[in-house]
Amino acid sequence: MSDLATTQDLESRLERHRRELTGYCYRMLGSAFEAEDAVQDTLVRAWRNIDKFEGRSSLRSWLYRIATNVCLDMLNAGNRRARPMDLSDPTPVAQARLSARPEVTWLEPVPDGRVMPAVVDPAETAVERETIRLAFVAALQHLPPKQRAVLILREVLAWKASEVAELLGTTVASVNSALQRARATLAESSPAASDTADPLDEEQKKLLDRYVAAFEGYDMQALTALLHEDATMSMPPYDLWLRGHDDIVGWMLGVGDVCRGSKLVPTVANGAPAFAHYHPSESGDGYEPWALIVLEISDGKVGGMDFFLDTKRWFPLFELPQRLDKEGAPAGSADL
């Protein structure tokens, strides 16, 4: 076999693990962009050190070992990404002020296609979706980095304790102890359950259709009828977040009234329904990106609305149109 063929074969073998490694690194780091950087670093390190791969474990296990070390190095800076509700209590709308925090503060959304492996087992798919939810990944950030790795490897990826011990260069007893501590910590900040949404059932589709109609029509009575009474609304990079019908409506009809007349385009993020939110252009000629909205649905209603406002980052990542025309149709291709 020629050197070129060998090189192409190695590239192919490494590349086939990119998506699952990205999912792992995303859960570890809470950032879609940092996860992609970590995976790229992992594959480069693997390429450069392939002669040191002795084959005592699988190539997949070896790549996970490298990826874990890359993530642990990145987490040594001590940054823990969070959602606004992890940092403060909800703010009454009368006291609401928009205060931005640096990008490294925030847990980031991620497209399903970047992190969800093409598995056919419905049970595995359900676990994958549940464990990339914003609330779940936010809860993971409360764990020390090595406990985080142990919990993800053991309970999300279903590795054996002996496999995790080998990967981390430690003992099975140490892995089991770390897992027990991680479970206890996670139980204290356990994210609320969400409805399965893969694929959407008819009731969920109707709920989302009603949500779009209420939001685009700016009908607050119809919108709040779709929200749980204790529904939350957040707007990273601002640390403000709101809870409950009165404060959400108060915001939407106050400062948020600039969103009147917007258009929503469906997408998916973090295993959940999401929308690209387009705001009427100041020129009056079509619509411009305003936010990526990620919804949390439970018991047939919307429990959370996360508006990610840095559209210059999110819309290209999600391959969303950069403009809509007056009729609400894409006016240009995504800036890939």
Side-chain angles (χ1 to χ4, degrees):
M1 182 180 292
S2 69
D3 289 343
L4 177 59
T6 302
T7 297
Q8 290 175 336
D9 177 63
L10 177 58
E11 287 179 348
S12 176
R13 290 171 64 202
L14 294 175
E15 193 64 30
R16 71 180 57 150
H17 297 284
R18 179 182 292 274
R19 186 180 293 185
E20 65 169 307
L21 287 170
T22 304
Y24 174 61
C25 293
Y26 173 71
R27 293 178 179 95
M28 286 288 291
L29 302 170
S31 163
F33 294 102
E34 287 185 357
E36 293 194 344
D37 288 345
V39 172
Q40 189 61 31
D41 190 4
T42 296
L43 298 181
V44 169
R45 292 189 192 188
W47 174 267
R48 290 175 176 170
N49 293 283
I50 193 65
D51 58 325
K52 298 178 182 178
F53 175 55
E54 299 175 351
R56 289 181 296 182
S57 62
S58 68
L59 178 63
R60 178 174 181 260
S61 297
W62 186 58
L63 289 172
Y64 269 94
R65 181 181 296 117
I66 299 171
T68 300
N69 289 330
V70 170
C71 289
L72 293 178
D73 287 344
M74 294 174 73
L75 291 167
N76 277 339
N79 291 329
R80 177 174 70 85
R81 290 182 178 265
R83 304 172 76 193
M85 46 281 289
D86 297 320
L87 304 177
S88 67
D89 292 329
T91 304
V93 70
Q95 301 170 18
R97 300 288 184 276
L98 289 177
S99 176
R101 297 202 190 190
E103 174 271 322
V104 294
T105 305
W106 303 116
L107 182 71
E108 297 179 347
V110 69
D112 285 16
R114 300 283 181 121
V115 296
M116 290 279 294
V119 295
V120 295
D121 186 328
E124 289 184 27
T125 300
V127 170
E128 289 283 346
R129 287 189 175 277
E130 184 66 19
T131 58
I132 61 168
R133 287 176 51 223
L134 288 169
F136 185 87
V137 178
L140 287 176
Q141 308 310 301
H142 291 277
L143 301 175
K146 285 192 176 179
Q147 286 185 26
R148 200 180 307 176
V150 168
L151 184 117
I152 296 168
L153 291 166
R154 290 282 285 119
E155 301 216 327
V156 177
L157 301 177
W159 284 38
K160 297 177 181 178
S162 58
E163 294 172 328
V164 178
E166 182 180 355
L167 182 147
L168 294 176
T170 187
T171 64
V172 169
S174 178
V175 166
N176 289 335
S177 177
L179 179 60
Q180 185 176 10
R181 295 196 303 273
R183 284 172 173 167
T185 301
L186 206 61
E188 295 175 359
S189 56
S190 181
S194 64
D195 290 350
T196 300
D198 178 36
L200 294 170
D201 62 30
E202 286 306 312
E203 289 304 312
Q204 290 169 331
K205 291 177 182 178
K206 290 177 182 176
L207 173 65
L208 295 179
D209 287 344
R210 292 196 296 271
Y211 181 87
V212 171
F215 196 100
E216 292 186 347
Y218 229 66
D219 183 340
M220 292 299 108
Q221 182 175 356
L223 182 65
T224 54
L226 307 176
L227 306 179
H228 285 292
E229 290 186 7
D230 61 350
T232 62
M233 175 179 174
S234 70
M235 294 161 278
Y238 300 110
D239 55 16
L240 170 72
W241 68 283
L242 306 163
R243 172 182 282 154
H245 292 180
D246 291 345
D247 284 333
I248 290 175
V249 170
W251 177 266
M252 298 285 284
L253 294 179
V255 175
D257 195 62
V258 293
C259 293
R260 192 182 293 272
S262 294
K263 294 289 185 184
L264 300 184
V265 175
T267 184
V268 288
N270 293 82
F275 292 97
H277 174 191
Y278 293 86
H279 185 274
S281 171
E282 290 185 4
S283 67
D285 183 22
Y287 301 83
E288 299 175 349
W290 186 261
L292 175 72
I293 308 173
V294 183
L295 300 183
E296 295 177 16
I297 297 176
S298 62
D299 298 325
K301 286 194 173 186
V302 176
M305 301 181 292
D306 294 299
F307 289 71
F308 292 92
L309 301 178
D310 190 357
T311 57
K312 289 183 179 179
R313 302 181 80 218
W314 307 128
F315 277 45
L317 180 68
F318 281 78
E319 300 182 5
L320 293 164
Q322 293 301 299
R323 285 189 68 256
L324 301 181
D325 62 22
K326 291 181 179 179
E327 284 69 44
S333 60
D335 183 13
L336 302 180

